[in-house]
Amino acid sequence: MTPADQSLATRRICALAPVVPVIVIRDATQAVPMARALVAGGLPALEVTLRTPAALEAIRAMAGVQGAVVGAGTLLTPADVKAAKAAGATFGVSPGATERLLRACEDEGLPLLPGAATATEVMALLERGYSALKFFPAAVAGGAAALKAIGAPIPQVGFCPTGGISLQNARDYLALPNVLCVGGSWVAPDGLTAAGDWAGVTTLAREAAALRG
Ligand code: 3PG
């Protein structure tokens, strides 16, 4: 899959809602209720981080939830890409971009939002054909002001900023023309997950879905 086709696919996914939840699943039995709760609140695109042993099983389970578009986050290696694809992930997200990771996504046909934080990183990915990127770590890399500045010389790249985004500051990013959506874990917090408070997750998702409404 070409980088250009990958970015077309990830742009479509980013257009589904203003926020992509960044989800950490520690117990695979939490996966389906979490996905249902987020979809019910209006957030269909879900990023499950490959940071826990339960992550791949969670992706497999969530992929069967009606309305959910399930991706794998924290892709670091070609093995991660293969495992995510095999589990049913339809897109991938990575905090950065390496040659091996990009080649694996191109070979496996997994649309990737590769991470970038500087103009040079953005230019390197654009040169390869990627025009939809993750901006990470968004808050400490300069926040919305940095993205606005990068957008002046490189307006053709769209971003999903992630890292330090909350209901309070999300609008600063979403107001920018080069922001496709934002990513964040605040809509799927550990506390609610551990408590099985799925109604609470739906409430957070609804507030997030209304950010661009
Ligand atoms: C990520 O995994 O992409 C980010 O670390 C999520 O960041 P947040 O927890 O600050 O939303």
Side-chain angles (χ1 to χ4, degrees), residues 119-131:
T120 297
E121 291 165 3
V122 172
M123 286 167 65
L125 286 161
L126 181 63
E127 211 169 84
R128 193 175 177 128
Y130 290 91
S131 70

Side-chain angles (χ1 to χ4, degrees), residues 163-191:
I165 298 184
S166 63
L167 186 67
Q168 287 66 39
N169 65 14
R171 281 184 205 279
D172 298 342
Y173 293 91
L174 291 166
L176 300 174
N178 60 340
V179 168
L180 306 169
C181 64
V182 303
S185 62
W186 89 88
V187 286
D190 272 349

Side-chain angles (χ1 to χ4, degrees), residues 70-208:
V70 185
T74 328
L75 294 181
L76 301 177
T77 67
D80 290 342
V81 174
K82 280 201 173 73
K85 184 102 199 282
T90 55
F91 68 99
V93 185
S94 63
T98 67
E99 174 58 32
R100 271 156 48 85
L101 184 75
L102 295 175
R103 199 166 334 113
C105 287
E106 289 157 16
D107 291 349
E108 294 290 325
L110 185 70
L112 177 72
L113 269 177
T118 66
T120 297
E121 291 165 3
V122 172
M123 286 167 65
L125 286 161
L126 181 63
E127 211 169 84
R128 193 175 177 128
Y130 290 91
S131 70
L133 310 178
K134 165 168 165 158
F135 180 60
F136 179 82
V140 297
L147 267 184
K148 186 177 179 191
I150 288 172
I154 318 173
Q156 65 273 52
V157 174
F159 293 93
C160 171
T162 309
I165 298 184
S166 63
L167 186 67
Q168 287 66 39
N169 65 14
R171 281 184 205 279
D172 298 342
Y173 293 91
L174 291 166
L176 300 174
N178 60 340
V179 168
L180 306 169
C181 64
V182 303
S185 62
W186 89 88
V187 286
D190 272 349
L192 295 186
T193 310
D197 184 355
W198 309 119
V201 171
T202 296
T203 299
L204 293 178
R206 252 193 216 113
E207 287 170 353

Side-chain angles (χ1 to χ4, degrees), residues 33-71:
M34 172 64 83
R36 284 192 182 134
L38 290 165
V39 171
L43 302 181
L46 311 176
E47 174 190 336
V48 180
T49 61
L50 295 191
R51 291 178 207 169
T52 59
L56 290 170
E57 199 182 331
I59 289 171
R60 217 170 280 121
M62 286 180 169
V65 171
Q66 200 176 0
V69 176
V70 185

